[in-house]
């Protein structure tokens, strides 16, 4: 198995919702922090907002397209936890994607894509985790390709 200098930290817990405003209103009754501005991530087909809860944040997701992962999730089950997102530090997210793929982990897509808040993201299929959808993210400034990833053919 390959080794890496990756440091993995829980960044947020994502909740799938059929009504973003309603969910944010309910959570505002429980958590004192105001939600972030609503952001749309068109590549994922979602609108979202974050709530700071004193550690990993809560992310509330609402589908903007019938074919989005969140829409498919809500067709099969009620609103609830959609995925856990982990921040990657110490290695580029491109290298982390390739390392997991080389380990036989079922990563979704061909590489990291645009995420919210100037991040790049990718997901690991629940088949590779025992049933949990996992997202890895990295701020764009930290995800510049390394020499290792630039030299790949």
């Amino acid at each position: 198995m390959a080794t890496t200098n990756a440091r993995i930290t829980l960044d947020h817990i994502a909740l799938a919702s059929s009504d973003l405003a309603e969910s944010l209103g309910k959570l505002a009754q429980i958590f004192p922090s105001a939600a972030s501005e609503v952001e749309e991530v068109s590549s994922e087909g979602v609108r979202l907002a974050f709530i700071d809860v004193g550690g990993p944040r809560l992310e509330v997701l609402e589908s903007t397209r019938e074919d989005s992962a969140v829409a498919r999730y809500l067709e099969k089950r009620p609103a609830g936890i959609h995925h856990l997102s982990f921040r990657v530090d110490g290695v580029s997210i491109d290298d982390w994607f390739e390392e997991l793929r080389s380990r036989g982990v079922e990563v979704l897509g061909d590489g990291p894509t645009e995420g919210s808040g100037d991040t790049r993201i990718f997901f690991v299929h629940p088949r590779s985790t025992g049933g949990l959808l996992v997202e890895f993210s990295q701020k764009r400034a930290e995800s510049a390709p390394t020499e290792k990833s630039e030299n790949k053919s």
Side-chain angles (χ1 to χ4, degrees):
M1 182 182 302
T3 59
T4 184
N5 293 327
R7 293 181 311 279
I8 308 300
T9 308
L10 181 61
D11 184 70
H12 65 266
I13 301 164
L15 308 172
S17 171
S18 59
D19 187 324
L20 180 62
E22 179 183 348
S23 294
L24 290 174
K26 288 179 179 181
L27 292 167
Q29 294 176 328
I30 301 167
F31 298 104
S33 297
S36 68
E37 292 293 319
V38 173
E39 180 179 352
E40 185 165 336
V41 181
S42 57
S43 63
E44 297 295 323
V46 297
R47 290 177 356 110
L48 60 89
F50 287 95
I51 300 172
D52 185 357
V53 292
R57 302 168 295 163
L58 292 179
E59 176 186 47
V60 183
L61 302 164
E62 173 186 74
S63 177
T64 60
R65 297 190 320 246
E66 291 181 9
D67 67 338
S68 75
V70 171
R72 289 191 306 272
Y73 175 92
L74 290 170
E75 285 176 1
K76 299 175 187 171
R77 60 192 64 81
I81 295 176
H82 182 261
H83 68 268
L84 297 183
S85 179
F86 295 88
R87 184 176 58 248
V88 178
D89 296 304
V91 62
S92 80
I93 196 163
D94 298 283
D95 289 347
W96 185 238
F97 178 90
E98 291 301 330
E99 181 164 333
L100 292 181
R101 179 183 273 175
S102 74
R103 293 180 186 182
V105 172
E106 187 177 350
V107 291
L108 300 176
D110 297 322
T113 60
E114 298 302 315
S116 67
D118 200 30
T119 61
R120 296 182 64 227
I121 63 170
F122 72 88
F123 289 89
V124 173
H125 196 284
R127 284 188 291 262
S128 288
T129 65
L132 175 66
L133 180 62
V134 171
E135 175 187 58
F136 287 102
S137 69
Q138 189 170 70
K139 286 283 188 189
R140 179 164 293 290
E142 300 164 7
S143 66
T146 63
E147 288 183 29
K148 177 181 169 187
S149 62
E150 289 173 353
N151 292 332
K152 289 182 180 177
S153 313

